[in-house]
Structures are given as C-alpha cells and as structure tokens.
Amino acid sequence: MRIPKGIRNRLTGPRAERSELTRVEACFKFIKDELMVILIWIASIKLFVILYRQLQNVLIGVVRVGPVPRHVSFIMDGNRRYAKGRGMSVKRGHEAGGLALLNLCYACKNIGIKCVSAYAFSIENFNRPKEEVDNLYNMFAVKLDEFAQRANSFKDPLYGARIRIVGDHSLVSQEMRDKIKNVEKLTKDGADFTLYICFPYTSRNDIYHTVHDSIEKSLKEKSDLGKFTVSAFTERMYLDDFSNKCDLLIRTSGHMRLSDYMLWQSHENSDIQFTSTLWPDFGFIKFYLMLLRWSFFTSIQRYADAGFSIREKVISFIPFLANKKIALDSLPTAPLAVSITGEHD
Amino acid sequence: MNVIGESVQTRSGRDEIGPVASGRVPPPEASVLRNGLTRSKAHMVQAVTKSVMLDDDQEMIERKLKRLSQEKSLFDRKTSKIQFLMCKVLLMIMYLIYGFYRYFQYEYNRMKLKLLNIMYNPSNTPQLIRQDVNKLKKIPKRLAAILEMKSASYVGGGVKGLMNDGSELVCWTVSAGIKHLILYDYDGVLKNNVQDFRKEIRAKLGKYYGPSNVPKYAIRIPHLNKIYFNDEDDATSNGKNKVAIEVSLLSNRDGRETIVDLTRTMADLCAANELKLSNITMKLVDKELTHLVGPEPDLLLYFGPALDLQGFPPWHIRLTELHWEEDNDDVVYSVFIRGLQKYSACKINVGK
C-alpha cells in the first residue's frame, strides 16, 4: 500500500533518528511504523469510526450499571513532550491536550460522573517562556468560548454541563476575568455535570486562600471561629461541594508526585493513579480501563463492607416468596379479648 | 516571634494526642488488597460475581430512576429493564476477566518482590546499606514513611509489630546517611507509645552498630512540641546538631485539623489586633505549618499494596516524590532502597 510521504510523516513523525538505532531495533521500528500507518488508515474508514463509536457507547452503558466515581480529576502532563516527540510546535501539543480533555468530558458525562476537574495552568507555570504562556492563554480563551457554546446548544453531547474556572484570579488580566465570569454565567444552570478548570491554581494557594477568607469573614461579621470545623473549612474551598474528596486522581506522563494539585482532596481516601502515557495519548480506552479497575475494587469493597445475600435478592424478585414488611397497624382489629375469669375491657 | 505557633499548641491541648478521627474509608484497591480477600480464590470469585448485583448505592438508584423516567411506554420500560440486566451480566463478565488478569499480575508482583528481597538484604549491616546508597547520585534530605498497624492476629501485627517496623526503618535511614525521618501512622500509635518506641529504636540500633556504640537520635512529636533523646538522663543537655537522625512522629491530627486550628488562632489574634489581616501571607502560613508539623519531605515511602496516603498532612506533600511497590505488604528493605534509587533518578522542575 502506498501512502504519500507527507501523510506518513504527519501520522508517525519523521524518521530522522533511525540511523542511530541498531539494525534489530531499526527493523522493529520499521514494522511498528508500517503497522501504525495501516492501523491509522483502517481507523479512518467511516465504517470503523461508526463501529468504534458504537463500541464506546456499549462500554459506557456497561460501566454505568456499576459504581461510578463522583469526582474524577486529571493532571494533564506531557503535552510538550508529546509535541517534541512528533516534531510539532509546543502550541500544537497543547491543542492536542485540550482536545483530549474535551473527548474525555463527553465520556465522563455519559458515564454519569458528576464532576471532572483538570489542572490546566499552575501558578508556577508563569515561570515558563513568555511566548508559551501567551499561547496557552489565547488557546484557553478560545476553548472557553467553544465550551460555553456547546454547553448551550441542545444537540451537543455536552449540553447541560456547567463550567467553573477556579484558582487565583488576581493573577490574570481584567479582560480574562470578565470572560471567565461571562462563561460561568452562561453555563450556570447545568446540574448533572460540572467541569472545573483549575486556572491558575495550586493547592497550597487554595488552602491559603481559604484560611485568609475565613479569617476575613469572621472579622467582618465579628463572629467567633471557635466552632470552626474541618468540614466548614472544606466548604469554603474553590471546588464547592466537591472539595472534600476526589475519588479518582489520574496523573499522566509518569511522574510520581502531586505537583501541588488537589492536596486537600486526595490526601485521604482517594485513589491516585499514575500512568506513563503522555496526556494527548490518554484516550477513552485507557481511561475506561482505569475506571473499570476503580469500579471493580469499589464494588468488592462495598460488598465486603455491607454483606450481601444472593438468596434475599432472588427472593425479593419473586412476588409470592418475598417476605414483605407488614406494619402492625395495617392489620384489621382483632375480636374482643375476654378472659375466663370474666374480666374484659 | 512564634506567638501563633505556641497559641495553636496551647489551644489544641499540649498533652493529649487528640481524638482519633474514625470512619476512614480507604481507597478501594488498597482496602480490598489489605483485607485479605485475596487469600482465598473461591471467595474472591464469589465476591466479584455477587458484588455486581449490589445496587443500593444512592447514585446508582438516581441513574436508574432517570433512565426509567425517560421511557414512557410499558414496552420501552420492559426493554430497558432487559437492557439493564444485559449490562449487568456484561459488567460481571468484564469484572471476571479483569479479576483474572489482576490475579496473574498479583502473582507476578509477589514473585518479583520475593526476588528483590533476596537481592537487597541489609542483614543488619550498615556497611551494606551505605554501599547501596553510595551508588546513587543524590539522596533525599528528608524522608517520610507511612506505617500502618496490622491486625494483631498476623505475624508482625499489633503495636509491637508497628514499633519493630518503625525502628527498622530508623536504622536503614541512619545507615543511608539521611538526617531526617518522618514516621506517619494514622491513629498516632507511635506517639502514644513513644517511650517504648524509644527503647525499641535503641535496641535495634544496638543490633546494627553494637550496643555500646548506638548513634545519637532524637524523637520529635511536633504536635506536643516534645523532644526525646537517646537516654532518659541526658534529656536536653546534648546539642541538637550532634544528633545523627531526627525522627518526627506524625498522625492524622497533624493534617487537616492543624490547618483549621491555625485558622482559628489567627482569627483570634486578628480580632485582638495582634495580627493584621494583610500580614497573613502564604509565606506566613507556610512558616507556621512548618513550625507546627515539620518541613516538607522529599520522598514518601508507603509499604502497602496500593497507594493510600491515609491523610498525610496535605500541606506537606506538595512536590514530594511518592514511592510504593504494588502488592507489597511488608516493611522491607527492598522498597526502601528502590525508593531511594527512584528518587536519585527523578528530575525536579517546578512549573516547567
């Protein structure tokens, strides 16, 4: 099969480094490259696209009947390495990352996950080259508009989603702040699904911000913080109802650290998963496998905690065998009780 | 200078460890693997199949109601019910396949760990540990470890087992040349038994270095603001800089609750005009929390089967490198040394 060189390069990246590999490795790489091209070619046929979408729907339908996490969070790491590996510009890498997030949002919404949060921009990221920061900014602005539009159009799978941009907004420009406010207002009615974009965010900043605001509030209202509890503290954090716990935290690209993200939410009781896949490559199937793992262990955990009898379950399905609960008051009144000694009421 | 820190400590009661927060639900994988369901295969398969039928979860019911409310006619509802059952069956099959795969993965990991344990064995010799460590480019300045108490019915369980693990870890850390160790256990068992733990460390160090030649150590309980040294008699006479290792004992109390305590104290100080609101900066909060709990560790080791941070102080795991071995169940040297190896290879780049 002949595929134009330009397309091949775009799909698999340039093969400049091949000369440095040993012969066996080169052979393997050649086979892999060829295979990838064929696979991608197959995947681009319309029929397979439809089939893949159908399969995706079936898989989502299956996992929906089991336990599903409430709050899933992503650390989207690896966009730049992805771009570098394919000889693209850094900007393109970030774009690919944004697309990957939107695709996963569709899936999450269909699965029934209530909340997805993503680490878009860390406060520390301001240390990056200015050009890249600007690019990220612009891309973010464009994506925000796109999301708002989709969440409001009835046909789109993202219809009815709410978006919130959380973080230290004193660090971004006034123009950006207005835009954020506008987008949040446009989508504020969505109740089923919330997407939190953490922009510019660090978890320490989140905690500090809550400490500061709580004190400010107590000073203003002249109220005593004597009975201030952990849960009251948690309610005031950036992520509203979802601040307490993040059920599943996924970090891509192989680093084993949290990098100042979701510290409060994930330091207790939450499942943290690390994968060496770069973020733009983290597609539906990989996410689905992680979800299945979570669901598998959660359902066994619940089973072990609650105890479950298959007999009761079966019996409850058969109407005449089910031992219904009957309230004593619902029975007809018994006849008059008379004792042999003759006394009665 | 440290008005805030001290008043937090007096507020939260210096002499008590604090109430143990109960009702912790560990993350699913860790909890399942630790509860020993894996011990019996038949039991496991049973659990997998039966758990699929469990559907008294609030959100599952919500989803079900929503699904039913969408279809109006009876026929639709019946087909949807059939569809639901089909999905349940498919889910069960998928669980079984996954469980099967996971079982082999588990066996593989156990085998790997056994081999690693043979490869890396300190056999109570500090020279061997130092030799292993000297091959590395860098070591962490501060090491933290999460320990947990196993049920007393297992080998190495109970308070004794926990103290044994802790003191073993102290010995490895001393031998590796790391000056600061943070030991975390959720309920604060080590804190409560600090006197016994002290003796245990001395005995263990004696095994490594000879009873007459025990390296100097200090045990700190930041929450109670107390320091203990080697022997009972030379309580504070020795300077801190002569100590070979400083061990900090933390528990769940040092996590979220300490941050809330700090907030409360600062609010009081602000109300009394001793502190200005504008003076409360990130730096100040960080300084106070470092004073109250300790500095941020560079490497965090966990000796359980799947990562479970167990409420380790959230402020302090910002950039901490995490290390655990999958399906491992014991405090073993191979996990310790492999953690150090991983740390020496990792690159730290804040924000870049």
Side-chain angles (χ1 to χ4, degrees):
Chain A
M1 173 187 328
R2 294 273 355 128
I3 289 153
K5 207 176 161 197
I7 295 177
R8 190 198 299 265
N9 264 352
R10 213 187 51 188
L11 294 175
T12 60
R15 298 194 237 151
E17 74 277 19
R18 207 206 283 168
S19 57
E20 291 159 26
L21 303 173
T22 64
R23 249 179 105 173
V24 182
E25 270 175 323
C27 198
F28 270 117
K29 193 158 171 19
F30 180 72
I31 293 171
K32 206 179 130 200
D33 280 3
E34 292 297 312
L35 263 181
M36 272 315 277
V37 172
I38 293 169
L39 280 179
I40 291 170
W41 183 70
I42 289 175
S44 66
I45 298 174
K46 189 107 197 204
L47 179 70
F48 283 96
V49 174
I50 294 169
L51 273 182
Y52 177 70
R53 203 161 289 161
Q54 282 301 322
L55 177 75
Q56 200 166 322
N57 283 342
V58 170
L59 286 176
I60 286 175
V62 169
V63 84
R64 265 171 70 96
V65 298
V68 162
R70 196 163 163 259
H71 178 182
V72 177
S73 194
F74 299 112
I75 301 183
M76 308 188 286
D77 194 4
N79 289 341
R80 293 200 293 183
R81 254 169 290 165
Y82 173 85
K84 223 180 254 174
R86 310 206 162 198
M88 300 192 289
S89 66
V90 177
K91 196 180 161 205
R92 288 275 302 278
H94 286 305
E95 274 171 10
L99 208 67
L101 179 65
L102 269 188
N103 283 342
L104 282 183
C105 280
Y106 289 146
C108 288
K109 185 165 180 283
N110 285 340
I111 287 168
I113 293 167
K114 285 268 153 82
C115 165
V116 168
S117 53
Y119 203 4
F121 197 82
S122 157
I123 292 175
E124 312 284 350
N125 284 152
F126 282 115
N127 297 335
R128 287 185 178 181
K130 190 170 179 302
E131 192 195 351
E132 195 190 338
V133 174
D134 288 346
N135 273 338
L136 267 171
Y137 247 75
N138 293 337
M139 198 191 90
F140 186 69
V142 173
K143 284 273 164 210
L144 269 188
D145 287 340
E146 190 190 326
F147 190 94
Q149 213 175 24
R150 283 187 165 183
N152 276 320
S153 72
F154 193 73
K155 274 185 197 155
D156 204 86
L158 273 180
Y159 176 72
R162 188 163 66 118
I163 189 167
R164 297 261 290 116
I165 290 98
V166 293
D168 195 343
H169 290 166
S170 62
L171 294 170
V172 299
S173 63
Q174 181 63 42
E175 196 188 340
M176 195 65 164
R177 253 177 284 169
D178 292 342
K179 184 161 234 162
I180 288 171
K181 232 178 228 155
N182 187 26
V183 170
E184 283 186 352
K185 215 173 112 196
L186 272 175
T187 60
K188 71 177 191 313
D189 298 326
D192 290 350
F193 179 77
T194 314
L195 173 66
Y196 285 96
I197 300 284
C198 300
F199 179 89
Y201 173 92
T202 58
S203 197
R204 276 193 175 186
N205 183 279
D206 189 2
I207 296 171
Y208 159 69
H209 169 92
T210 314
V211 169
H212 189 272
D213 286 6
S214 305
I215 294 170
E216 196 176 8
K217 204 175 161 209
S218 87
L219 283 182
K220 209 177 267 170
E221 294 171 1
K222 298 243 172 348
S223 62
D224 188 24
L225 275 181
K227 283 194 184 115
F228 196 52
T229 55
V230 173
S231 55
F233 187 90
T234 308
E235 274 165 25
R236 294 185 184 179
M237 297 184 83
Y238 282 144
L239 295 190
D240 315 323
D241 301 347
F242 301 97
S243 290
N244 187 38
K245 184 180 161 192
C246 144
D247 296 291
L248 182 61
L249 174 68
I250 296 173
R251 163 145 210 181
T252 54
S253 96
H255 286 300
M256 301 283 195
R257 59 180 101 98
L258 296 176
S259 293
D260 215 341
Y261 181 65
M262 293 277 152
L263 302 178
W264 186 276
Q265 288 77 11
S266 61
H267 81 122
E268 217 169 35
N269 312 345
S270 98
D271 192 2
I272 306 172
Q273 285 296 312
F274 297 96
T275 163
S276 54
T277 323
L278 300 177
W279 172 252
D281 287 330
F282 189 75
F284 173 75
I285 296 290
K286 279 181 179 139
F287 174 65
Y288 188 78
L289 289 177
M290 276 190 180
L291 203 66
L292 186 70
R293 216 192 102 273
W294 187 91
S295 147
F296 174 81
F297 283 111
T298 308
S299 104
I300 295 179
Q301 186 189 26
R302 284 186 190 162
Y303 166 76
D305 287 351
F308 172 74
S309 150
I310 196 160
R311 222 172 118 224
E312 271 174 32
K313 185 85 189 170
V314 169
I315 285 175
S316 74
F317 271 118
I318 305 168
F320 56 87
L321 277 181
N323 49 347
K324 287 175 199 139
K325 292 184 187 79
I326 294 163
L328 184 60
D329 301 337
S330 68
L331 297 176
T333 37
L336 188 68
V338 181
S339 165
I340 41 168
T341 53
E343 51 169 320
H344 62 85
D345 15 76
Chain B
M1 178 58 226
N2 247 309
V3 193
I4 305 174
E6 267 165 38
S7 45
V8 169
Q9 265 157 352
T10 38
R11 274 195 91 115
S12 60
R14 264 166 185 261
D15 298 318
E16 33 143 6
I17 299 296
V20 172
S22 57
R24 198 178 82 85
V25 190
E29 186 167 11
S31 118
V32 169
L33 290 173
R34 219 181 299 125
N35 281 344
L37 266 169
T38 39
R39 268 159 232 274
S40 146
K41 279 160 231 163
H43 194 136
M44 197 68 197
V45 172
Q46 209 180 12
V48 171
T49 42
K50 280 187 185 175
S51 64
V52 176
M53 276 169 268
L54 207 65
D55 56 357
D56 22 342
D57 173 14
Q58 191 55 46
E59 279 170 31
M60 261 193 247
I61 293 168
E62 224 173 78
R63 280 203 296 279
K64 199 169 168 179
L65 282 179
K66 206 174 147 199
R67 186 169 46 84
L68 287 179
S69 65
Q70 275 167 0
E71 284 109 16
K72 297 287 181 305
S73 71
L74 187 69
F75 178 73
D76 275 354
R77 238 182 272 170
K78 284 287 168 210
T79 48
S80 124
K81 203 162 193 177
I82 291 167
Q83 212 176 21
F84 179 78
L85 278 176
M86 292 269 291
C87 283
K88 277 271 181 202
V89 171
L90 273 177
L91 185 69
M92 192 199 287
I93 293 169
M94 265 157 64
Y95 276 180
L96 283 173
I97 294 171
Y98 179 75
F100 197 64
Y101 161 75
R102 190 68 181 83
Y103 171 74
F104 280 102
Q105 204 183 22
Y106 176 80
E107 291 294 323
Y108 170 78
N109 284 336
R110 298 297 289 190
M111 188 105 83
K112 196 175 93 182
L113 284 167
K114 268 181 198 155
L115 288 175
L116 282 174
N117 285 345
I118 296 169
M119 265 169 68
Y120 296 110
N121 196 337
S123 49
N124 297 354
T125 328
Q127 291 97 316
L128 278 179
I129 299 176
R130 192 48 77 84
Q131 209 177 12
D132 281 338
V133 170
N134 274 348
K135 288 174 195 155
L136 307 174
K137 256 190 267 161
K138 61 171 184 223
I139 54 168
K141 205 168 172 191
R142 285 176 283 270
L143 184 72
I146 297 174
L147 299 174
E148 58 199 329
M149 194 163 73
K150 287 180 198 156
S151 135
S153 56
Y154 292 127
V155 179
V159 181
K160 262 268 177 249
L162 183 71
M163 286 202 282
N164 181 48
D165 289 344
S167 53
E168 194 89 50
L169 205 56
V170 171
C171 295
W172 300 335
T173 316
V174 172
S175 310
I178 298 167
K179 293 274 188 320
H180 196 141
L181 175 70
I182 298 164
L183 292 178
Y184 176 88
D185 73 294
Y186 185 79
D187 297 316
V189 177
L190 286 179
K191 275 188 198 178
N192 286 331
N193 299 299
V194 66
Q195 294 300 349
D196 291 338
F197 186 51
R198 207 164 138 194
K199 280 182 203 137
E200 182 83 26
I201 291 181
R202 192 164 49 220
K204 261 281 150 47
L205 280 171
K207 261 191 192 168
Y208 275 69
Y209 292 90
S212 58
N213 192 24
V214 174
K216 286 217 170 359
Y217 60 85
I219 302 177
R220 240 162 66 83
I221 304 181
H223 172 58
L224 306 178
N225 202 11
K226 278 189 180 150
I227 295 194
Y228 302 88
F229 291 94
N230 278 30
D231 301 302
E232 274 98 310
D233 30 288
D234 58 7
T236 41
S237 58
N238 279 355
K240 203 180 150 193
N241 42 9
K242 283 184 186 167
V243 168
I245 186 169
E246 188 184 316
V247 183
S248 303
L249 304 181
L250 299 182
S251 73
N252 183 47
R253 184 66 186 71
D254 298 293
R256 289 181 173 191
E257 252 172 275
T258 299
I259 295 177
V260 173
D261 278 344
L262 181 67
T263 314
R264 249 183 271 154
T265 312
M266 289 213 268
D268 285 356
L269 286 175
C270 282
N273 275 330
E274 284 174 47
L275 187 73
K276 271 189 209 144
L277 189 64
S278 57
N279 283 350
I280 300 176
T281 55
M282 185 98 134
K283 234 182 190 159
L284 181 75
V285 174
D286 187 39
K287 205 182 111 209
E288 291 309 325
L289 281 172
T290 311
H291 173 74
L292 287 169
V293 180
E296 181 183 351
D298 301 308
L299 174 67
L300 177 66
L301 296 174
Y302 176 59
F303 295 92
L307 187 62
D308 174 8
L309 290 175
Q310 308 201 354
F312 194 88
W315 188 269
H316 296 81
I317 42 171
R318 182 174 66 127
L319 298 171
T320 307
E321 196 73 23
L322 310 167
H323 178 78
W324 77 105
E325 295 279 350
E326 236 172 282
D327 296 331
N328 166 51
D329 219 3
D330 303 301
V331 178
V332 284
Y333 177 68
S334 61
V335 176
F336 174 80
I337 193 71
R338 273 167 62 87
L340 291 187
Q341 283 169 358
K342 204 164 94 184
Y343 179 80
S344 82
C346 80
K347 205 170 81 185
I348 302 213
N349 41 1
V350 181
K352 294 216 169 162

